């Protein structure tokens, strides 16, 4: 009897995976489920041998069985398991395979229940999962592979769109029959432990999926529309590394000034910008810089996007829970009873939170928070509008950092556009920043309700460069386009 391992010779020679190398014979004779379960895929013929890309976990017996099925010997090359799984999904055209005749009509509740079978949350696993579960897993796996922050399932009158937000921009990635929308959303709701029978009201849920050893948190929201429920899944990758200021794209002359303010023992430091501009990432990088065993650091967030204690940081994090009466304001009030030195309040969005944050910063606490304003100086009037008296704000405000995320020219296609960048010529992002540090002149203007123009000019006198100027530097360096700067910065102005 032949030894299955004998035919599974492996070379560690590096070779990029290529969809063009996959042999048609492999696709015809080896099922997608088998390839996915064992993480192996053809990379073409070389002489008498079929070259197979395999993962470290691939069973040699599975490689042997492929050779038997193909009728000739195989040779294997090691590759990343996630990359193999992603390519399997691509070359088999999984959306066409999974949306077969057996699940084209799924309005019946019992059919939906049957299709929701499969409890394994590992996106690499297909064992025991029905076709619908595999489809949703594939959709999420594809989104993570593309670096998407959100996945949208949006039913329309004649079809359902699957859209993904990559680098802050939504892209259409699939169209599926409207008859499947109900079942797909139901599967997503099951993952989030939500009520699949209730489709008339909006619901929120959360779940965790894995890709091997990698854990990804999901925040799920459903909303009833005229053509059925739509779902949005926010993906929060727990294994991503916290970034430092330089990797965020922050120039040294800015982060050094910002860090001086962040190392104070009192005052309030704000990071401003629209949703999705990277404010929380900047604040996490800041906490990582200032954390020490001598300080009691606490946060109240919505949601907690990264478990800081996993890095060995002595930081206690709490999450807003409106159903239990925990808001930013009540959370901050309770945190102040815990003898904190540094407090991070996820967002200042109402008068009560604004007043408490300012009062906390005046009583010996260093407070970090975020605001939704277009630039650094606008934060002054925004806090005034929320009911903070100018004399209190002038005494407490230490610095305001405004920021945006700008898409970069795609290096692999040199900006021409390709499938990876959705034809945009832009891929990956970096930050642009505008820092206002509060000196005596600016304090005086704040206290006496100076105009934004006066405050902005005083800030520029201290060395502040605007978001637009920072963006132009990237354009001049060939790192992005003028159109991208206009899209992100000029639109706000």
């Amino acid at each position: 009897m032949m030894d299955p391992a004998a035919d599974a010779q492996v070379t560690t020679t590096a070779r990029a995976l290529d969809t063009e190398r996959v042999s048609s014979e492999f696709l015809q004779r080896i099922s997608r489920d088998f390839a996915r379960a064992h993480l192996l895929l053809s990379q073409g013929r070389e002489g008498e041998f079929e070259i197979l890309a395999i993962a470290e976990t691939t069973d040699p017996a599975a490689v042997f069985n492929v050779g038997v099925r193909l009728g000739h010997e195989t040779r294997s090359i090691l590759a990343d398991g996630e990359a193999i799984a992603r390519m399997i999904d691509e070359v088999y055209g999984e959306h066409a395979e999974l949306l077969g005749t057996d699940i084209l009509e799924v309005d019946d509740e019992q059919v939906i229940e049957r299709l929701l079978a499969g409890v394994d949350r590992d996106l690499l696993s297909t064992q025991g999962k029905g076709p619908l579960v595999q489809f949703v897993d594939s959709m999420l796996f594809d989104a993570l592979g593309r670096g998407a922050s959100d996945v949208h399932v949006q039913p329309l009158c004649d079809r359902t769109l699957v859209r993904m937000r990559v680098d802050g921009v939504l892209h259409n990635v699939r169209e599926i029959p409207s008859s499947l929308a109900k079942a797909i959303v139901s599967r997503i709701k099951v993952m989030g432990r939500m009520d699949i029978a209730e489709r008339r009201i909006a619901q929120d849920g959360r779940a965790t999926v894995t890709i091997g050893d990698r854990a990804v948190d999901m925040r799920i929201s459903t909303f009833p529309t005229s053509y059925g429920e739509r779902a949005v899944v926010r993906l929060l990758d727990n294994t991503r590394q916290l970034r430092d200021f330089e990797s965020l794209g922050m120039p040294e002359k800015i982060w050094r000034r910002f860090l001086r303010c962040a190392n104070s023992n009192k005052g309030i430091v704000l990071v401003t910008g629209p949703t999705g501009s990277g404010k929380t990432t900047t604040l996490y990088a800041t906490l990582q810089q200032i954390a020490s065993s001598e300080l009691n650091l606490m946060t109240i967030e919505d949601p907690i996007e990264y478990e800081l204690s996993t890095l060995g940081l002595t930081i206690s994090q709490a999450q807003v829970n409106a159903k239990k009466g925990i808001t930013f304001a009540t959370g901050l009030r309770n945190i102040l009873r815990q003898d904190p030195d540094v407090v991070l309040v996820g967002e200042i969005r109402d008068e009560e939170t604004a007043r408490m944050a300012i009062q906390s910063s005046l009583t010996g606490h260093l407070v970090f928070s975020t605001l939704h304003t277009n630039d650094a100086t606008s934060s002054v009037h925004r806090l005034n509008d929320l009911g903070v008296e100018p004399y209190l704000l002038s005494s407490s405000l230490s610095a305001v950092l405004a920021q945006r995320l700008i898409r970069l020219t795609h290096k692999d296609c040199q900006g021409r556009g390709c499938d990876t960048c959705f034809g945009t010529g832009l891929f990956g992002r970096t930050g642009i920043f505008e820092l206002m540090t509060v000196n005596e002149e600016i304090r005086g203007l704040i206290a006496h309700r100076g105009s934004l123009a006066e405050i902005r000019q005083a800030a520029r006198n201290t060395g502040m460069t605007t978001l637009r100027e920072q963006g132009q530097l990237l354009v001049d360096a060939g790192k992005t386009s003028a159109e991208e700067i206009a899209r992100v910065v000029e639109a706000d102005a």
Side-chain angles (χ1 to χ4, degrees):
M1 182 176 180
M2 293 183 63
D3 179 3
D7 201 39
Q9 299 181 33
V10 178
T11 176
T12 57
T13 302
R15 179 186 297 180
L17 297 181
D18 186 351
T19 57
E20 298 297 324
R21 292 198 183 108
V22 181
S23 70
S24 58
E25 183 183 14
F26 181 93
L27 295 178
Q28 292 168 4
R29 292 179 176 271
I30 307 301
S31 73
R32 180 257 177 208
D33 285 350
F34 184 90
R36 192 68 146 71
H38 296 288
L39 293 178
L40 47 77
L41 182 65
S42 164
Q43 284 293 275
R45 293 284 295 274
E46 290 185 3
E48 298 297 320
F49 301 103
E50 183 86 13
I51 306 302
L52 298 179
I54 66 172
E56 291 184 355
T57 58
T58 301
D59 188 343
V63 177
F64 172 78
N65 289 337
V66 169
V68 172
R69 182 67 173 158
L70 296 179
H72 49 260
E73 294 184 78
T74 63
R75 290 292 182 267
S76 304
I77 57 172
L78 283 175
D80 177 70
E82 289 186 32
I84 295 172
R86 190 172 297 114
M87 187 169 289
I88 289 170
D89 289 348
E90 180 179 352
V91 298
Y92 276 87
E94 184 183 59
H95 64 287
E97 177 181 287
L98 290 178
L99 304 181
T101 56
D102 60 329
I103 57 171
L104 279 177
E105 297 298 334
V106 288
D107 286 335
D108 184 86
E109 295 296 333
Q110 291 183 344
V111 176
I112 289 178
E113 291 291 341
R114 175 175 59 82
L115 294 172
L116 295 182
V119 296
D120 191 341
R121 296 297 178 92
D122 189 343
L123 300 185
L124 290 178
S125 171
T126 60
Q127 188 67 34
K129 293 180 177 179
L132 185 71
V133 174
Q134 291 184 39
F135 175 77
V136 174
D137 282 2
S138 168
M139 180 178 70
L140 297 173
F141 183 79
D142 183 32
L144 289 165
R146 293 175 180 269
S149 61
D150 302 87
V151 179
H152 294 229
V153 179
Q154 181 177 355
L156 302 174
C157 62
D158 57 346
R159 67 198 188 285
T160 293
L161 294 180
V162 176
R163 312 172 77 193
M164 295 179 186
R165 188 176 298 279
V166 179
D167 291 336
V169 177
L170 271 176
H171 300 277
N172 294 346
V173 295
R174 291 182 184 177
E175 289 188 8
I176 55 180
S178 293
S179 59
L180 283 174
K182 183 177 178 181
I184 289 170
V185 172
S186 291
R187 170 58 186 169
I188 293 172
K189 289 167 72 173
V190 166
M191 297 178 78
R193 297 178 177 84
M194 300 152 72
D195 185 355
I196 67 170
E198 179 54 79
R199 299 188 176 94
R200 298 166 298 176
I201 62 174
Q203 294 189 61
D204 294 307
R206 58 186 299 176
T208 299
V209 295
T210 60
I211 302 178
D213 294 332
R214 174 184 171 196
V216 179
D217 282 341
M218 304 192 309
R219 301 292 189 270
I220 301 169
S221 172
T222 61
F223 186 80
T225 73
S226 56
Y227 295 111
E229 282 185 293
R230 63 170 292 167
V232 175
V233 181
R234 169 149 291 187
L235 301 168
L236 303 170
D237 191 346
N238 290 327
T239 60
R240 78 183 194 276
Q241 296 297 311
L242 282 186
R243 303 172 68 183
D244 57 27
F245 293 131
E246 290 181 277
S247 67
L248 293 172
M250 193 182 297
E252 182 177 357
K253 67 177 182 180
I254 292 181
W255 68 254
R256 287 192 181 279
R257 292 172 59 210
F258 180 71
L259 201 52
R260 280 198 294 271
C261 299
N263 274 304
S264 176
N265 58 8
K266 64 179 180 178
I268 186 166
V269 176
L270 298 174
V271 179
T272 76
T275 299
S277 59
K279 301 185 296 294
T280 301
T281 302
T282 296
L283 286 175
Y284 281 167
T286 306
L287 293 183
Q288 189 179 22
Q289 286 284 332
I290 68 172
S292 77
S293 59
E294 299 174 354
L295 294 175
N296 181 16
L297 286 77
M298 302 187 70
T299 78
I300 177 70
E301 306 171 55
D302 184 24
I304 295 174
E305 294 189 17
Y306 194 100
E307 297 288 349
L308 297 172
S309 62
T310 62
L311 296 177
L313 302 178
T314 53
I315 298 176
S316 297
Q317 295 171 270
Q319 183 162 304
V320 166
N321 188 331
K323 292 180 179 178
K324 296 183 179 180
I326 302 174
T327 64
F328 283 123
T330 59
L332 177 55
R333 184 180 297 111
N334 290 323
I335 282 174
L336 293 177
R337 301 187 184 116
Q338 294 287 310
D339 186 33
D341 298 294
V342 179
V343 178
L344 185 154
V345 182
E347 182 184 345
I348 294 176
R349 59 173 67 147
D350 56 47
E351 179 178 354
E352 184 181 10
T353 307
R355 286 180 173 276
M356 289 197 64
I358 295 298
Q359 289 290 349
S360 301
S361 70
L362 290 171
T363 55
H365 304 93
L366 177 61
V367 178
F368 293 98
S369 194
T370 69
L371 271 178
H372 287 260
T373 63
N374 286 339
D375 55 29
T377 52
S378 296
S379 61
V380 173
H381 281 196
R382 172 63 178 151
L383 288 170
N384 289 157
D385 291 342
L386 285 174
V388 178
E389 292 82 355
Y391 74 93
L392 291 176
L393 183 58
S394 67
S395 302
S396 60
L397 190 62
S398 296
V400 183
L401 181 74
Q403 68 178 74
R404 298 292 188 278
L405 291 176
I406 298 294
R407 292 183 295 170
L408 297 170
T409 301
H410 190 196
K411 293 181 180 179
D412 289 350
C413 68
Q414 295 297 311
R416 291 190 302 270
C418 63
D419 290 341
T420 300
C421 63
F422 296 97
T424 63
L426 301 166
F427 187 76
R429 291 193 289 180
T430 192
I432 56 174
F433 304 87
E434 174 182 298
L435 176 64
M436 178 182 76
T437 55
V438 181
N439 60 12
E440 290 307 312
E441 179 185 4
I442 295 175
R443 292 190 193 283
L445 289 170
I446 294 174
H448 295 91
R449 296 184 182 273
S451 69
L452 286 182
E454 291 174 320
I455 296 173
R456 185 176 294 112
Q457 185 56 54
R460 289 181 67 83
N461 292 341
T462 68
M464 183 185 82
T465 55
T466 66
L467 291 168
R468 191 177 308 174
E469 290 166 342
Q470 288 287 315
Q472 188 59 48
L473 291 176
L474 293 180
V475 174
D476 295 342
K479 294 181 178 180
T480 191
S481 66
E483 292 77 13
E484 176 67 2
I485 300 300
R487 180 186 73 86
V488 176
V489 180
E490 305 291 342
D492 289 340

